[in-house]
Amino acid sequence: MAFHHWVRLGAVVSSCVVLGLVTHVGGLGGGLGAWCMFCWAFSLAGTLLISLLQIFNVNMNICNMEGFNHEFWDNVSATFFSYAALLCLSTSIIFPSNFLKGHQNYDVHNHRAAAEFFSCVTTLMYVAEVQIARAQPTCYMATTRGILKVCQTFVAGFILFFISNPVLYADQAAVQWCMAVYCICFIWSMARILRRLFCNQRDLTCVKSVYVCVSLMYLSAAITWPVFKLNSHYPSPINPPGPCPEVMGLCPWGQEVVVTVLTALNFLLYFFCTCCLYISNDDDQQYRLATLSHTISATLSIGYNTI
């Protein structure tokens, strides 16, 4: 059995163990518990689906359909495993901070501690899957820029969740600008991922300029959001002290702090992606050379079979 088969099996087994442990002890109520269960179940279901399609060669039939190409399946798989790794990573951070600390029942605590361990193992398995996909030169979504696009949309999804539940951007126009930045940049990154998956087209000539604009927009949001939401000179209706309803274990003021951190993180991701576009095109060149080589080989093979 090849190494990537063992990695795939490890991801499936670890996910099953996690789901079995947390289901046995129960008690994962509320939005946080539902999120953790969703991440593990979604990753497991997607992995099983991809594995079954590969076992029965359905993926090859999909690639041979009109409008698709041989890189389609590799890019879809790499994109899914990247999202699965991020989902399991987020769960491995959220789960222990909300369901492990301060628990009096040692049996429940031990089961949940084991579930956290296997959740971390599952994350590592999906990271290994992405690294294996990076070894395939025709898989653009496993390159540095492809992984950065996935991370950008993932972080933006968390920002949009925290900023909208409850609504944190309706009090000032400057904060509404931040909301517009999050939405525009999220749509831009997601559109580029879908374009790569289904069209497999090279970057437009204006993509570098657009990424500079997007990075500057996120920089403005990274400065504007904490100035208007965390500065005492611009009082917000949400204040840190006092009891408050919690979302994912955070009060609204805590959510504002998290949005500040995630905004800065996403700015760094966009800035790094922009630097990659201007400094080095090695990933894209390697991808294009591999695609050209594969096309030439397929053409020669068809010609040889015809003769």
Side-chain angles (χ1 to χ4, degrees):
M1 185 181 291
F3 175 71
H4 69 275
H5 292 151
W6 286 109
V7 173
R8 185 78 55 83
L9 181 62
V12 171
V13 172
S14 299
S15 299
C16 290
V17 172
V18 171
L19 291 172
L21 288 171
V22 297
T23 304
H24 175 70
V25 295
L28 296 188
L32 282 176
W35 169 255
C36 293
M37 293 295 290
F38 166 77
C39 291
W40 292 321
F42 175 80
S43 301
L44 174 61
T47 304
L48 290 175
L49 178 61
I50 290 176
S51 300
L52 290 174
L53 292 178
Q54 290 178 336
I55 290 173
F56 294 103
N57 291 325
V58 178
N59 59 318
M60 299 305 297
N61 296 330
I62 295 175
C63 293
N64 292 330
M65 293 173 59
E66 185 177 358
F68 295 95
N69 49 57
H70 63 278
E71 295 94 359
F72 170 76
W73 183 258
D74 293 336
N75 283 320
V76 168
S77 300
T79 303
F80 169 78
F81 289 128
S82 297
Y83 277 117
L86 291 171
L87 286 171
C88 291
L89 175 62
S90 68
T91 305
S92 298
I93 296 173
I94 294 171
F95 181 77
S97 60
N98 291 274
F99 296 103
L100 273 181
K101 60 181 182 180
H103 209 285
Q104 300 299 323
N105 190 319
Y106 288 104
D107 184 58
V108 174
H109 181 274
N110 292 337
H111 278 77
R112 290 181 176 176
E116 167 63 15
F117 171 77
F118 281 102
S119 180
C120 294
V121 172
T122 305
T123 304
L124 294 177
M125 293 296 104
Y126 285 122
V127 171
E129 283 277 9
V130 177
Q131 290 299 317
I132 292 171
R134 286 178 63 86
Q136 303 175 12
T138 58
C139 184
Y140 177 83
M141 290 307 299
T143 62
T144 301
R145 294 213 299 271
I147 295 173
L148 283 174
K149 292 181 181 68
V150 172
C151 294
Q152 290 160 6
T153 56
F154 186 81
V155 174
F158 266 99
I159 292 176
L160 293 174
F161 172 80
F162 281 118
I163 202 175
S164 302
N165 187 24
V167 175
L168 303 178
Y169 58 88
D171 52 340
Q172 302 198 39
V175 182
Q176 293 174 6
W177 159 253
C178 295
M179 180 62 174
V181 170
Y182 301 144
C183 293
I184 292 171
C185 296
F186 174 78
I187 294 172
W188 162 253
S189 297
M190 186 59 69
R192 283 180 49 76
I193 290 176
L194 295 176
R195 185 172 180 270
R196 275 291 184 177
L197 291 179
F198 294 99
C199 299
N200 193 35
Q201 297 177 356
R202 295 170 58 179
D203 289 333
L204 301 174
T205 54
C206 64
V207 69
K208 293 183 179 180
S209 301
V210 174
Y211 255 104
V212 171
C213 294
V214 168
S215 299
L216 292 176
M217 290 170 64
Y218 245 101
L219 176 60
S220 68
I223 297 173
T224 303
W225 179 267
V227 167
F228 283 88
K229 299 301 289 186
L230 304 180
N231 195 336
S232 59
H233 293 289
Y234 300 94
S236 172
I238 299 173
N239 297 312
C244 60
E246 294 188 353
V247 177
M248 295 190 73
L250 296 171
C251 289
W253 188 84
Q255 292 177 237
E256 293 177 349
V257 176
V258 171
V259 171
T260 302
V261 175
L262 293 179
T263 302
L265 174 60
N266 231 9
F267 162 69
L268 293 177
L269 292 174
Y270 278 103
F271 178 75
F272 184 64
C273 193
T274 304
C275 292
C276 290
L277 283 170
Y278 276 92
I279 295 175
S280 175
N281 288 321
D282 291 342
D283 285 343
D284 213 18
Q285 289 176 359
Q286 183 183 17
Y287 170 75
R288 292 169 186 170
L289 289 174
T291 302
L292 178 61
S293 175
H294 188 279
T295 303
I296 293 174
S297 300
T299 305
L300 293 176
S301 176
I302 294 172
Y304 175 79
N305 293 332
T306 303
I307 296 174

